[in-house]
Amino acid sequence: QVQLQELGPGLVEPSETLSLTCTVSDGSINSYYWSWIRQPPGKGLEWIGYIYYTGTANYNPSLKNRVTISVDTSKNQFSLKLRSVTAADTAMYFCARGVNYVDYWGQGTLVTVSS
Amino acid sequence: EIVVTQSPVTLSVSPGERATLSCRASESVKSNLAWYRQKPGQAPRLLIYTASTRATGIPARFSGSGSGTEFTLTISSLQSEDFAVYYCQQFNNWPHTFGPGTKLEI
């Protein structure tokens, strides 16, 4: 079955850019929507945005000015960039498959924003 | 943005008992609602989508109902692995939004 794995730095300095990549294995990235969802420690879930394998993306308006999601079908990967981060962006970041609901999730990666 | 609320915040039940969790949306989401279970240290797992359809591999003790603004997740006979946090999520309007969760505890 499809597996997703997030990779990226666990610590980002304030005002810098958070960058994560999700590798999709045991399945093709083609013909599906892919999402990023985050969860601050001890809190609920927030949908950051999603991208279709063709490259069309949509972002949560609360983050729209700071976020970019991209896809690389040749590598079966999609990526997240979140600019100008603050402590409020500290969270577990999940990559996921789906645009309406998520049927496959990565295990998540904790990103802490701190100097 | 559609605001999703859940009740109760915490539900104390015993194994083998029935649990009923509620979810409410601030405006109609038709049947565009999903339920997830999240165990500590894990990603959420999809249980129910379109309000009442069980996801692949989800046992029949899980059932969902409702439409519009009021939804219910029922777990008919609680197993040990069911003690976790449950989230509902609407996908009628973007951004898709989650409720704050209900913690099911013994």
Side-chain angles (χ1 to χ4, degrees), chain A residues 37 39 43-50 58-61 94 99-103 105-107, chain B residues 1 34 36 38 41-46 49-50 87 89-91 94-100:
Chain A
I37 294 167
Q39 184 173 36
K43 296 188 178 180
L45 297 151
E46 179 181 34
W47 208 305
I48 298 169
Y50 61 84
N58 199 8
Y59 307 121
N60 191 318
F94 296 100
V99 62
N100 290 322
Y101 49 85
V102 172
D103 56 359
W105 297 73
Q107 65 185 25
Chain B
E1 175 174 310
Y36 302 85
Q38 186 177 33
Q42 296 186 17
R45 181 179 182 182
L46 179 67
Y49 60 93
T50 54
Y87 294 97
Q89 173 242 317
Q90 67 81 22
F91 53 93
W94 181 255
H96 302 328
T97 46
F98 293 86

Side-chain angles (χ1 to χ4, degrees), chain B residues 15-31:
Chain B
E17 289 187 339
R18 180 187 189 95
T20 301
L21 288 66
S22 296
C23 176
R24 176 177 291 180
S26 60
E27 62 185 83
S28 176
V29 298
K30 303 173 194 173
S31 295

Side-chain angles (χ1 to χ4, degrees), chain A:
Chain A
Q1 70 178 22
V2 175
Q3 296 187 62
L4 295 87
Q5 177 68 60
E6 304 90 349
L7 277 176
L11 181 64
V12 181
E13 293 198 355
S15 79
E16 298 296 314
T17 297
L18 179 160
S19 296
L20 296 173
T21 295
C22 182
T23 299
V24 180
S25 55
D26 297 325
S28 174
I29 204 166
N30 293 333
S31 302
Y32 288 99
Y33 285 87
W34 304 91
S35 291
W36 287 98
I37 294 167
R38 69 180 182 177
Q39 184 173 36
K43 296 188 178 180
L45 297 151
E46 179 181 34
W47 208 305
I48 298 169
Y50 61 84
I51 191 165
Y52 195 41
Y53 77 103
T54 57
T56 302
N58 199 8
Y59 307 121
N60 191 318
S62 69
L63 298 167
K64 188 171 184 177
N65 292 335
R66 298 196 291 131
V67 66
T68 301
I69 299 175
S70 58
V71 63
D72 186 338
T73 54
S74 67
K75 296 181 179 178
N76 239 33
Q77 293 178 336
F78 62 106
S79 299
L80 170 70
K81 290 190 185 297
L82 183 64
R83 298 175 289 278
S84 303
V85 297
T86 69
D89 295 309
T90 293
M92 185 72 77
Y93 285 77
F94 296 100
C95 62
R97 190 180 83 172
V99 62
N100 290 322
Y101 49 85
V102 172
D103 56 359
Y104 289 99
W105 297 73
Q107 65 185 25
T109 187
L110 179 62
V111 179
T112 301
V113 178
S114 175
S115 55

Side-chain angles (χ1 to χ4, degrees), chain B residues 77-101:
Chain B
S77 179
L78 285 161
Q79 310 295 304
S80 57
E81 64 265 29
D82 298 332
F83 292 94
V85 179
Y86 290 80
Y87 294 97
C88 58
Q89 173 242 317
Q90 67 81 22
F91 53 93
N92 194 66
N93 286 16
W94 181 255
H96 302 328
T97 46
F98 293 86

